[in-house]
């Protein structure tokens, strides 16, 4: 049994059920050595900042050795640190520093694909078709007289095809391999016991180093049906069009759950048991299985990431997510932002229904986001989310009200979505621009030099040092909301209250009410002691686009 990390006081095995988890995108958080890339010592240097937020855990997006073909989700070695980001000793120091202040840590596990630089994939390319080395991935012969056509026309997430042809050392074209994402991310073969065993080693490697939890990337993709004749696949990206009976050949297949049941037995070797959250693009009716206590324990709900600014949309989404979590005896998860989507303060500054990709392609000009409105709504949405039962996942910079950078010049874009789709989709770089820590200075305090993505001049307005201690700032609002949530959080119950049409109003079992006015007209504030408000109240009126917490 692994002992409880020092500094964490309770051994509550359910600590994660209502945790607030702060996502750090390591390369864009803080750069300690002036090379333009954020790194692990940079995060360790900001632990007091994380503590000042009252978050329960930090989730680190991949920090493993990687060519960054997909922002680190192309992993060269699952059990090491990218030398540009630090060393394993730096990782241990970060874990110790977080645990000392009572913050737990999740790491990202990327089991669907490795990178093409992983030693297994290099060995597979050097080995012959049918070899044990190739059996760790998904290699197939091509169609056509000379194998010149891909085995089938399955689409990829980042481009039109999920197959790439290999080329031998002498330039001769060979077999094709499957990659549901970029060609630099070959899919592993989860029908091979060696792959299972290696990931168990990886889970234990990090759990033994004190990691408390795992975020499981693309958890629904691991098992595939490659029996021939191959079945047609119309979409792998649109969850709303997925079958709900597990019949899609590439995703959300029933067999995937055997993997997570095994992982659970590994998590339960530790005290407290290690925890996990599935990034499983499965329809709500099937998401609960990933989140069950026998498997990963929790699954992301991405509905709030996409919800329109609309009271009914929010309420329906919340009800669906709560019901889904209840059915699997899990707790719900909530998230308004992450490293894959347009930042919430910009999204809510655009009219409902705006095509965000078109908006990005127009460099944020069509239409121009209403920054004040976006921020006002983002603050209100955050308070609504933090009052809900379950866990909330925040993305770095959200606490600053940071907008998207929609006008990054094409030459700096690194997202394979942009590079692979011939400029048809702008991709996710605009939410991954490094954090502004200081209003002035090179890279706004991110590091002593430049940053790996250009930071616009207006970033200084959102800097931590400008907001720190400033009454009414978004940073101070987040701090107050997170402190209040921690003080009031109790059971996972929620009771709805009926208000005007534009209002979402509910309470928790200790008299904590959350009241969000989605409309533009003020709404009457019900009786109670006001605890916190996302915008100034006007007497007994809750202005439009505002959340107020009060206690009865
Ligand atoms: C989901 C991750 O969040 C995303 O950033 C990544 O591109 C894909 N999975 C592939 O790993």
């Amino acid at each position: 049994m692994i002992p409880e990390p020092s500094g964490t006081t309770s051994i509550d095995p359910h600590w994660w059920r209502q945790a607030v988890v702060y996502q750090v995108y390591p390369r864009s958080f803080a750069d300690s050595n002036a090379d333009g890339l954020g790194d692990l010592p940079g995060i360790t240097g900001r632990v007091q900042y994380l503590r000042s937020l009252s978050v329960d855990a930090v989730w680190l997006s991949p920090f493993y050795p990687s060519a960054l073909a997909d922002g680190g989700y192309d992993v060269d070695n699952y059990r090491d640190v990218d030398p540009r980001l630090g060393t394993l000793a730096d990782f241990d120091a970060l874990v110790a520093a977080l645990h000392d202040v009572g913050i737990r840590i999740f790491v990202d596990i990327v089991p669907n694909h490795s990178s093409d630089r992983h030693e297994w994939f290099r060995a597979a390319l050097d080995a012959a078709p049918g070899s044990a080395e190739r059996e760790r991935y998904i290699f197939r012969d091509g169609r056509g007289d000379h194998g010149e056509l891909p085995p089938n026309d399955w689409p990829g997430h980042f481009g039109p095809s999920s197959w790439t042809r290999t080329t031998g050392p002498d330039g001769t074209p060979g077999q094709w391999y499957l990659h549901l994402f970029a060609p630099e991310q070959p899919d592993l073969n989860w029908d091979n016991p060696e792959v299972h065993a290696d990931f168990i080693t990886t889970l234990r490697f990090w759990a033994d180093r004190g990691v408390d939890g795992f975020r499981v990337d693309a958890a629904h993709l691991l098992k595939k049906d490659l029996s021939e004749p191959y079945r047609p696949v119309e979409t792998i990206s649109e969850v709303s069009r997925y079958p709900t009976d597990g019949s899609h050949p590439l995703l959300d297949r029933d067999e995937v759950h055997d993997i997570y049941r095994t992982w659970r037995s590994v998590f339960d070797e530790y005290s407290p048991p290690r925890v996990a959250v599935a990034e499983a693009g499965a329809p709500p009716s099937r998401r609960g299985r990933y989140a069950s206590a026998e498997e990963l324990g929790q699954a992301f709900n991405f509905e709030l990431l996409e919800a329109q600014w609309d009271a009914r949309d929010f309420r329906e989404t919340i009800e669906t997510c709560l019901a889904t979590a209840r059915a699997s005896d899990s707790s719900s998860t909530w998230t308004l932002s992450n490293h894959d989507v347009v930042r919430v303060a910009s999204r809510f500054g655009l009219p409902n229904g705006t095509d965000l990709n078109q908006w990005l392609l127009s460099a944020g000009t069509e239409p121009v986001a209403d920054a004040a409105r976006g921020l006002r709504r983002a603050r209100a949405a955050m308070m609504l989310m933090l009052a809900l039962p379950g866990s909330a996942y925040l993305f770095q910079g959200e606490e600053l009200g940071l907008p998207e950078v929609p006008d990054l010049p094409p030459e700096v874009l690194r997202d394979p979505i942009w590079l692979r789709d011939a400029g048809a989709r702008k991709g996710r770089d605009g939410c991954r621009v490094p954090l502004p820590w200081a209003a002035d200075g090179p890279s706004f305090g991110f590091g002593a030099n430049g940053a790996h993505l250009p930071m616009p001049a207006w970033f200084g307005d959102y800097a931590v040092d400008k907001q720190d201690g400033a009454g009414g700032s978004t940073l101070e609002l987040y701090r107050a909301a997170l402190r209040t949530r921690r003080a009031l959080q109790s059971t996972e119950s929620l009771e709805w209250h009926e208000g005007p049409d534009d209002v979402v109003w509910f309470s928790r079992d200790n008299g904590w009410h959350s009241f969000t006015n989605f409309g533009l007209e003020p709404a009457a504030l019900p009786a109670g002691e006001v605890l916190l408000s996302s915008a100034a109240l006007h007497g007994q009126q809750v202005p439009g686009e505002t959340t107020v917490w009060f206690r009865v």
Side-chain angles (χ1 to χ4, degrees):
M1 288 282 183
I2 303 298
E4 180 78 352
S6 62
T8 44
T9 46
S10 78
I11 327 182
D12 174 11
H14 299 298
W15 65 268
W16 49 273
R17 290 189 70 98
Q18 301 213 67
V20 176
V21 184
Y22 181 94
Q23 180 189 358
V24 169
Y25 193 74
R27 291 174 178 83
S28 298
F29 190 68
D31 171 16
S32 73
N33 61 356
D35 67 353
L37 273 189
D39 45 45
L40 298 187
I43 306 169
T44 307
R46 303 287 179 178
V47 163
Q48 288 307 323
Y49 174 76
L50 297 168
R51 182 188 201 183
S52 79
L53 293 175
S54 306
V55 295
D56 301 295
V58 159
W59 146 33
L60 292 189
S61 279
F63 50 85
Y64 315 110
S66 169
L68 304 184
D70 182 20
Y73 286 88
D74 45 321
V75 179
D76 297 352
N77 178 348
Y78 291 94
R79 301 192 279 273
D80 204 353
V81 173
D82 186 329
R84 291 167 296 178
L85 270 64
T87 61
L88 281 169
D90 291 328
F91 181 83
D92 294 340
L94 172 58
V95 173
L98 288 169
H99 283 170
D100 274 350
V101 298
I103 298 179
R104 305 202 182 242
I105 176 166
F106 284 70
V107 297
D108 225 305
I109 291 292
V110 190
N112 179 64
H113 42 267
S114 72
S115 86
D116 61 348
R117 306 196 316 172
H118 190 287
E119 62 173 6
W120 275 5
F121 194 70
R122 287 189 279 120
L125 290 183
D126 288 346
S131 59
E133 287 82 356
R134 289 214 169 177
E135 273 306 295
R136 294 168 179 149
Y137 293 90
I138 301 171
F139 284 87
R140 291 291 183 275
D141 293 331
R143 291 172 298 159
D145 291 344
H146 307 286
E148 69 280 11
L149 297 171
N152 57 43
D153 58 3
W154 287 342
H157 278 284
F158 293 162
S161 173
S162 55
W163 295 97
T164 288
R165 195 169 194 187
T166 60
T167 311
D170 60 353
T172 329
Q175 284 191 300
W176 297 70
Y177 66 90
L178 184 79
H179 53 85
L180 296 186
F181 294 91
E184 296 87 348
Q185 294 167 294
D187 280 38
L188 288 155
N189 173 15
W190 277 89
D191 290 337
N192 183 340
E194 211 185 338
V195 173
H196 285 256
D198 196 66
F199 272 88
I200 299 291
T201 304
T202 295
L203 294 175
R204 289 212 176 96
F205 179 86
W206 295 109
D208 289 348
R209 295 192 103 88
V211 160
D212 304 284
F214 300 95
R215 179 257 189 200
V216 182
D217 186 71
H220 58 308
L221 296 182
L222 276 46
K223 282 293 203 169
K224 287 131 192 156
D225 174 9
L226 281 118
S227 58
E228 297 183 36
Y230 299 114
R231 282 185 290 132
V233 166
E234 276 174 39
T235 182
I236 61 168
S237 300
E238 288 169 75
V239 183
S240 60
R241 290 173 58 207
Y242 289 174
T244 52
D245 59 0
S247 62
H248 194 295
L250 294 178
L251 49 88
D252 190 32
R253 298 190 58 77
D254 291 338
E255 309 89 88
V256 79
H257 297 286
D258 297 338
I259 300 171
Y260 302 127
R261 278 190 285 273
T262 310
W263 287 19
R264 170 54 53 192
S265 65
V266 176
F267 300 154
D268 288 349
E269 290 167 11
Y270 293 84
S271 173
R274 293 335 190 212
V275 305
V277 56
E279 191 222 17
S285 61
R286 291 179 59 87
R287 210 177 289 154
R289 294 179 69 185
Y290 298 84
S292 71
E294 295 73 41
E295 299 190 21
L296 295 172
Q298 246 185 359
F300 279 125
N301 294 313
F302 289 136
E303 281 78 357
L304 283 190
L305 281 184
E306 287 158 9
Q308 303 293 318
W309 182 256
D310 178 82
R312 186 177 303 168
D313 203 11
F314 263 70
R315 177 157 172 177
E316 282 174 8
T317 294
I318 293 165
E319 285 178 320
T320 307
C321 294
L322 289 176
T324 306
R326 225 176 287 122
S328 58
D329 201 21
S330 181
S331 63
S332 190
T333 62
W334 312 105
T335 180
L336 290 165
S337 300
N338 66 24
H339 63 296
D340 288 333
V341 296
V342 169
R343 281 190 175 275
V344 61
S346 295
R347 176 163 64 94
F348 282 150
L350 293 163
N352 278 347
T354 301
D355 179 327
L356 295 175
N357 180 48
Q358 287 305 323
W359 178 71
L360 288 173
L361 287 173
S362 78
T365 61
E366 290 169 34
V368 172
D370 180 334
R373 163 162 285 172
L375 182 58
R376 187 178 176 92
R377 290 175 171 180
R379 289 163 57 113
M382 171 276 287
M383 282 184 56
L384 185 164
M385 171 177 79
L386 289 181
L388 290 168
S391 16
Y393 286 77
L394 311 177
F395 178 47
Q396 66 179 42
E398 189 181 320
E399 77 280 16
L400 305 176
L402 205 59
E404 183 82 3
V405 183
D407 55 353
L408 287 171
E411 61 277 11
V412 304
L413 299 178
R414 290 288 165 268
D415 190 342
I417 288 183
W418 165 261
L419 299 172
R420 295 249 321 139
D421 229 357
R425 288 186 292 159
K426 185 102 180 251
R428 304 159 293 179
D429 292 297
C431 68
R432 300 173 178 182
V433 175
L435 286 195
W437 292 93
D440 304 301
S443 63
F444 300 103
F446 165 67
N449 261 315
H452 64 99
L453 282 171
M455 302 169 74
W458 50 264
F459 249 38
D461 298 343
Y462 293 85
V464 172
D465 71 353
K466 237 182 149 170
Q467 300 198 37
D468 193 18
S473 74
T474 301
L475 176 58
E476 291 303 337
L477 178 71
Y478 265 75
R479 284 180 172 149
L482 288 160
R483 263 196 319 268
T484 309
R485 169 189 163 103
R486 187 172 268 186
L488 294 180
Q489 193 72 268
S490 63
T491 73
E492 292 172 27
S493 69
L494 173 147
E495 186 185 340
W496 291 106
H497 301 274
E498 297 310 324
D501 282 352
D502 273 344
V503 164
V504 171
W505 176 15
F506 57 87
S507 63
R508 306 290 298 277
D509 65 357
N510 49 16
W512 173 22
H513 285 244
S514 176
F515 182 102
T516 304
N517 180 4
F518 281 80
L520 294 175
E521 296 305 317
L525 173 69
E529 174 206 355
V530 172
L531 301 169
L532 192 66
S533 179
S534 66
L537 298 180
H538 302 150
Q540 289 306 299
Q541 298 288 305
V542 182
E545 304 177 323
T546 300
T547 295
V548 59
W549 288 352
F550 58 92
R551 203 165 185 180
V552 176

